Amino acid sequence: MLSLSELTKIFHSYNLSPKKILGQHFLIDKNIQKKIIASCQITDEDIVLEIGPGLGALTEEICKEAKFVYAVEKDSVLSALLKERLKSFKNLKIINSDILNFPLPIKDCSAKLKLIGNLPYYLSTAFLKYLIENRKYINSVYISLQKEFAQRIIAKPGKKDYGALTIFINVYANAEILFPIKKTCFYPPPKVDSCFMKFEMLTQPKVEEKERENFFEIVRFVFQKRRKTVLNSLLGKFPDKEKIKEILERLNIDSWRRPETLSMDDFLSLTKFFKIIAQK
Ligand code: SAM
């Protein structure tokens, strides 16, 4: 891994500076690099897709352990520099592309991928969407995310961070925070701390495909009005107040509860009941 002085030397000699617009903050902490690599549990059977390799703070170590590594970097200058620096690795292919335009499955690669990356913060939401759309081709995901964003993903019902994002991700994956990363571990340091996270993609999402559209619609709807009671937030979508009260009662959900106290199972039951009403 490049030290801070080696990194800044490269920047000077190529007249470069970290691009804010691409969320360029480069890992300079050796302990965190080791921790990241160890936590990814890479084996010689793994095909890894690295997102945003930058100048290779993780790439080199991943290449030493994985069967093959695809590293997708949007910055054409960095990807050219990295190609030159890591040309001795025969199990590495560096691709100059936006990850969001990188189609999966990868041609001639039938194995499910392990995704790894110190993700640029601006990409977080779009990347999670990419992840879910391509989940068939992905086994597990190890990424750093802004601490506050990570906390929204793992939040429990009743907590202020719990919301539509929490439920959306947890339908498709088991997510956990592995460890925090201080902003000072990056050059230049970002404004906020990060968390390194693991996502285990589920082969069977927690909501059946035929229910999903209605389920997410109710979730979105209810959380748009999270300051209201469950009863009032649902009223905007289903105007029959007495019917809603009856359903909530049958589901043992107090009408006066706040939307953010509803668990994924509560939302699932609501989806089923409202479907029955809609069909009547
Ligand atoms: N992995 C390196 C490290 O840990 O030092 C760099 C991490 S930096 C936070 C994010 C990297 O992602 C940068 O190299 C940036 O150019 C790259 N990047 C930004 N947007 C991208 C995108 N849409 N697709 C692929 N790479 C992107």
Side-chain angles (χ1 to χ4, degrees), residues 22-27 52-54 57 72-74 98-99 118 120 122:
L22 288 181
Q24 290 182 349
H25 301 279
F26 301 93
L27 186 66
V72 177
E73 172 56 61
K74 186 169 179 179
D98 184 326
I99 186 68
N118 274 327
Y122 83 90

Side-chain angles (χ1 to χ4, degrees), residues 231-276:
L231 174 66
N232 283 338
S233 68
L234 285 168
L235 257 180
K237 184 164 173 60
F238 307 98
D240 188 339
K241 191 169 183 173
E242 289 315 307
K243 202 86 204 156
I244 299 178
K245 271 187 172 170
E246 187 192 317
I247 291 177
L248 290 174
E249 226 161 76
R250 284 177 66 179
L251 293 175
N252 246 337
I253 298 174
D254 185 339
S255 310
W256 301 102
R257 272 168 65 180
R258 299 273 165 202
E260 69 259 29
T261 65
L262 297 179
S263 67
M264 176 142 26
D265 285 343
D266 291 331
F267 278 109
L268 262 173
S269 315
L270 282 172
T271 310
K272 287 192 175 128
F273 269 88
F274 283 115
K275 192 172 155 194
I276 295 169

Side-chain angles (χ1 to χ4, degrees), residues 59-95:
T59 322
E60 200 168 338
E61 296 307 311
I62 299 174
C63 285
K64 286 182 194 162
E65 300 190 15
K67 182 173 181 184
F68 200 87
V69 183
Y70 296 90
V72 177
E73 172 56 61
K74 186 169 179 179
D75 185 323
S76 57
V77 180
L78 293 193
S79 88
L81 283 174
L82 192 62
K83 262 183 205 166
E84 181 54 31
R85 221 168 69 73
L86 299 188
K87 64 182 174 208
S88 61
F89 287 100
K90 301 300 170 220
N91 62 339
L92 170 65
K93 184 170 180 184
I94 296 166
I95 301 131

